[in-house]
Every structure is written in structure tokens, then in C-alpha cells.
Amino acid sequence: MTNVDEDNPIPNRKTFSSAPNDFLLNFKNPCWWQPYDRSAGSGGGGKNPYIANVYYVLSVHLRPFFRQLFQTFDRHLLQQGKHLYRMRCLPYFYIIGQPKCGTTDLYERLKMHPEVTFAIRKEPHWWSRNQYGYVNKHDLPNMQYKCTFEDYLDLFDNATRRIKDTFTEENGYTYHRIINGEASASTMWDNNAWETAFGNTSNGEPPFLVQDFIHAVQPEAKLIVMLRNPTERLYSDYLYFMETNKSAEAFHEKVVESVELFLACAQSISFRACLYNYDLSLAMPVRLRIGFYVVYLLEWLSVFRQDQILILKLEDHARHPSVTMEKVFSFLGLGAVPKHIEAAMFASPPYNSRRLSDKILGPMLPATRLILNAVYAPFNKKLAELQNDNSFLWEN
């Protein structure tokens, strides 16, 4: 598969051919009507449009949700004469990263807002991974199970039905306020599959990244990023994803090895080529590269406007979640939350916080912290300059 038009230096829309150039005007969310053939279904699945969906086939957890979607499927359809149309919607916004930075907590609180709905799977990982083949954990895609654009859109059918069925009269015309979103924490940084799409390049750098594809389909998308002290993020990442033999001492050894590998790479090829080098990412025992936040942000800002990206800090969210959520509501143009929902939204303790068994292991070693702080400091400085906010230096 190729997503490159040789005569045009941007990703083409072949992969997303069912998406229109313009979305429905009276919907806040990016939606459209798609011709639908009831006899053919979707993906060769007969009358059940979900039976061949790769998420359905491979995820036992999602099957009950898909069965429920099938039972209410006709609510998506519009009959006009002899023709049937199916409503399709992309996310209005994306929580794009980063891992172990509070994205789950943000997601859980945001989905309580009455004007917000999400995909049936919190993290579809479609833009970064599954369009190239369904991925388990951090392996390369299995090309046998490529998730199509239609498979991805199916995940939003419950949200689409709600969008279709709920309208508001404003200033004399029909308007729709409900929005949907998704929260794949891989979207901002994970481009491991770029060689699957393009093949290797002479300079070892990908010609296009995830943001180029989203922008090609949805140039007005809204993006939310949650960041955290990258040194602390890496330790949390290690504790969460490492299954056995965890300790502060083992973490130190893995950090030293990862730093040495990355520095050796950067001395022989470009920093950017190292950042997106899948073999190097496999070789490093901890995910050091995820903490180079500013590099990824500058890539996203090369195609999206700055006012389309809301950048938050976990440290601020942990201290004052209500302030963070107000920023998110404002960014997404959401209405006020009813008092009883607001109370429930902030009554819960943090979601997906560190497990007790990991807390017992204690903090990282001071020597490890010194190494990581030195590695990340130049990038934190650039991020602070980009944001005009010295709190992104994470010096205290």
C-alpha cells in the first residue's frame, strides 16, 4: 500500500476516499452522508455491516458493543427515494498524547460532559498503527489484519447515532452541539509503521507522519496534548509496561543503555532519523524517545495551527483538575456542565494512577534522575520557549 501521490508532495486521500472534502454544515462534528447498499453490507459481510470489521474480529471485548450497534443500525440510515444513506462521523477532537501523562484521567472526566461522546474503544490507535495492520502492544503491524478507514469509522457509530438524533434550535436554525472524540495516546509520537507505508528513504527519515494524514482529511481538527515531567514519565512508563523484575536499580541500567544507544545513533545519522527508527526503538529497553515532546509538537505545528492544539501539564491537572477541565471545555466550545455532573466529575480519585505494587518500589535512583534530567533539559528548554512558559522546564 502507498499513501503517496508521486506528483503531489502530500499524502493523498486514497486511503480515506469515503470521506468528503466538506462536512455537514449544521453539525459541529465532522459528519457526512455515505451511500449505503443494505444487500452488500460492509467489507463483504452481508447485511451485518460489522461482521468483517477487524476490531470486531480480533477484540473479544468489543464484540458485545458491535452486536448492540447492529441492533440499532437502522438509526444511522436515511431513505431518500430509492437510495439509502448512512451517517458517518470522524472525531471532532483527538487526545493525542502522551502515555503515562494523565490522558486516561482526562478522558474519563471529559466523557461525563453531556455534549461529549467517544468511540467504543478508548484507544483505536488507527492513525498511528492499525491502518497498517492490527497491533498488539508495541509490535509491528500484522499486515494480515489491516484496519480500513471504514473499520475505524465503525467505532464511532454509537456516537454518530447520538449526533444524528440530537439537535438544538439556535437563532432560528437547526444546529448540533454533540461532539465525539478519541484518545489514542500513540497518535502524537508513534510512527513506527512509516516504512510499511513508504519504504525506506535515502536519509532514513519518514516523508510523512501521522499528523499529515489527519490534516489531509480533517484540516480543522482539534488536538489535546497532556504532558508531564519527561523524567517522571519515563519511570512511570517503565513501571506500568514492564511486567516482571522491576526495580529502581534495573530501571537505572535500562536508562543508561537506552541513552548510550540513542546518542550513538545521533552521532551517525540525524536526530530525526533516530527518533523515528523502529529498530532503535526496539533495541532501547525503555521508551526514552517519547519524552522529546517539543520535537513532536513542532512536527504537528508544521501542519496544524497553534490554536488547534491545547497543551496541558499533568502536574497542573493533578493539583487543580477543575481548572484543567475548564480549559478543555473552552477549547472544545462546550457548554456549562450541570452542577450534579460537575460534582461527580471531580469526586473521583485520579484514574489509572500508579499501582500499589509499583509504589512499593519507591522512586528512581538520584543518579538515574540526573542522567534523564540532563538528556531532556535542552528539549524542555525549547518547549518552554515555544509555550512562553518556564514551568515546562520542570526544574522544581
Side-chain angles (χ1 to χ4, degrees):
M1 180 191 76
T2 178
N3 290 312
V4 180
D5 183 340
E6 294 179 355
D7 298 322
N8 195 338
I10 62 170
N12 69 31
R13 292 172 55 89
K14 187 175 181 180
T15 302
F16 328 106
S17 58
S18 64
N21 292 321
D22 298 304
F23 301 112
L24 295 174
L25 294 177
N26 59 335
F27 285 71
K28 185 176 179 182
N29 211 83
C31 300
W32 66 97
W33 291 107
Q34 181 184 82
Y36 181 71
D37 182 355
R38 190 187 292 277
S39 63
S42 176
K47 294 183 179 180
N48 186 335
Y50 304 111
I51 198 69
N53 185 297
V54 174
Y55 290 100
Y56 172 85
V57 171
L58 297 182
S59 176
V60 175
H61 168 70
L62 290 181
R63 288 180 190 173
F65 295 98
F66 277 113
R67 284 194 286 269
Q68 183 182 26
L69 286 174
F70 179 48
Q71 291 170 0
T72 60
F73 180 73
D74 281 356
R75 297 189 188 182
H76 296 273
L77 302 180
L78 175 69
Q79 181 88 40
Q80 287 193 338
K82 296 181 179 180
H83 302 288
L84 268 179
Y85 296 89
R86 178 183 183 183
M87 177 168 277
R88 299 301 242 166
C89 295
L90 277 164
Y92 176 73
F93 68 94
Y94 299 83
I95 300 174
I96 63 174
Q98 292 286 59
K100 306 312 299 175
C101 288
T103 56
T104 298
D105 189 81
L106 178 64
Y107 162 83
E108 292 291 345
R109 297 184 197 278
L110 183 53
K111 76 178 184 180
M112 297 177 70
H113 196 291
E115 296 175 9
V116 175
T117 183
F118 280 92
I120 61 173
R121 175 173 174 164
K122 172 181 174 280
E123 296 190 271
H125 297 299
W126 188 81
W127 295 96
S128 57
R129 303 171 185 171
N130 289 334
Q131 65 167 307
Y132 306 108
Y134 197 87
V135 178
N136 287 314
K137 293 189 177 179
H138 306 293
D139 299 329
L140 272 176
N142 182 341
M143 294 296 288
Q144 180 181 354
Y145 297 113
K146 284 172 56 178
C147 292
T148 67
F149 187 54
E150 300 298 315
D151 290 342
Y152 177 63
L153 292 175
D154 285 348
L155 299 179
F156 300 94
D157 270 2
N158 195 47
T160 300
R161 188 190 70 189
R162 185 179 169 199
I163 288 168
K164 176 178 175 290
D165 293 344
T166 312
F167 290 89
T168 303
E169 288 290 333
E170 290 188 7
N171 300 321
Y173 67 95
T174 303
Y175 186 72
H176 194 274
R177 300 193 65 88
I178 302 294
I179 58 173
N180 69 12
E182 68 122 288
S184 301
S186 65
T187 305
M188 179 175 167
W189 61 275
D190 187 353
N191 288 275
N192 283 343
W194 72 267
E195 289 187 31
T196 302
F198 310 118
N200 202 355
T201 59
S202 59
N203 61 359
E205 298 184 17
F208 304 114
L209 300 169
V210 170
Q211 57 268 23
D212 297 304
F213 291 100
I214 295 180
H215 188 269
V217 181
Q218 238 179 309
E220 296 301 317
K222 288 185 175 286
L223 312 160
I224 301 174
V225 177
M226 183 85 92
L227 303 178
R228 173 188 190 178
N229 182 328
T231 296
E232 295 294 340
R233 193 220 69 80
L234 187 61
Y235 190 47
S236 181
D237 191 87
Y238 161 78
L239 293 176
Y240 185 81
F241 289 104
M242 183 65 62
E243 296 178 355
T244 59
N245 301 319
K246 291 182 284 191
S247 70
E249 292 76 17
F251 178 65
H252 179 83
E253 293 175 3
K254 294 178 186 299
V255 165
V256 170
E257 182 181 352
S258 298
V259 170
E260 289 176 348
L261 286 169
F262 197 90
L263 290 178
C265 177
Q267 289 173 357
S268 59
I269 59 177
S270 72
F271 178 92
R272 189 171 183 268
C274 295
L275 192 70
Y276 297 116
N277 186 303
Y278 179 68
D279 291 334
L280 177 62
S281 73
L282 280 183
M284 291 192 296
V286 292
R287 301 197 296 177
L288 183 77
R289 61 181 179 146
I290 294 178
F292 298 124
Y293 304 142
V294 71
V295 182
Y296 299 111
L297 280 172
L298 289 172
E299 300 267 27
W300 283 81
L301 286 168
S302 70
V303 290
F304 287 100
R305 302 186 310 273
Q306 195 154 12
D307 66 339
Q308 291 178 260
I309 306 178
L310 177 64
I311 301 173
L312 306 168
K313 290 207 312 297
L314 174 60
E315 293 85 356
D316 296 338
H317 180 65
R319 284 192 295 267
H320 304 293
S322 61
V323 175
T324 298
M325 297 311 297
E326 282 298 324
K327 289 181 180 179
V328 174
F329 298 159
S330 176
F331 177 69
L332 297 177
L334 298 171
V337 181
K339 292 296 183 184
H340 68 285
I341 295 179
E342 183 180 35
M345 187 178 290
F346 301 115
S348 302
Y351 293 89
N352 203 26
S353 58
R354 187 171 296 177
R355 295 172 294 228
L356 179 60
S357 59
D358 291 336
K359 290 180 180 179
I360 294 172
L361 297 176
M364 73 183 81
L365 301 177
T368 317
R369 186 181 301 279
L370 284 173
I371 293 171
L372 289 174
N373 285 350
V375 169
Y376 288 129
F379 302 93
N380 294 345
K381 182 180 179 182
K382 291 181 181 178
L383 177 60
E385 292 170 352
L386 179 68
Q387 292 298 105
N388 194 27
D389 183 351
N390 284 338
S391 68
F392 285 97
L393 294 171
W394 283 290
E395 289 182 332
N396 298 319

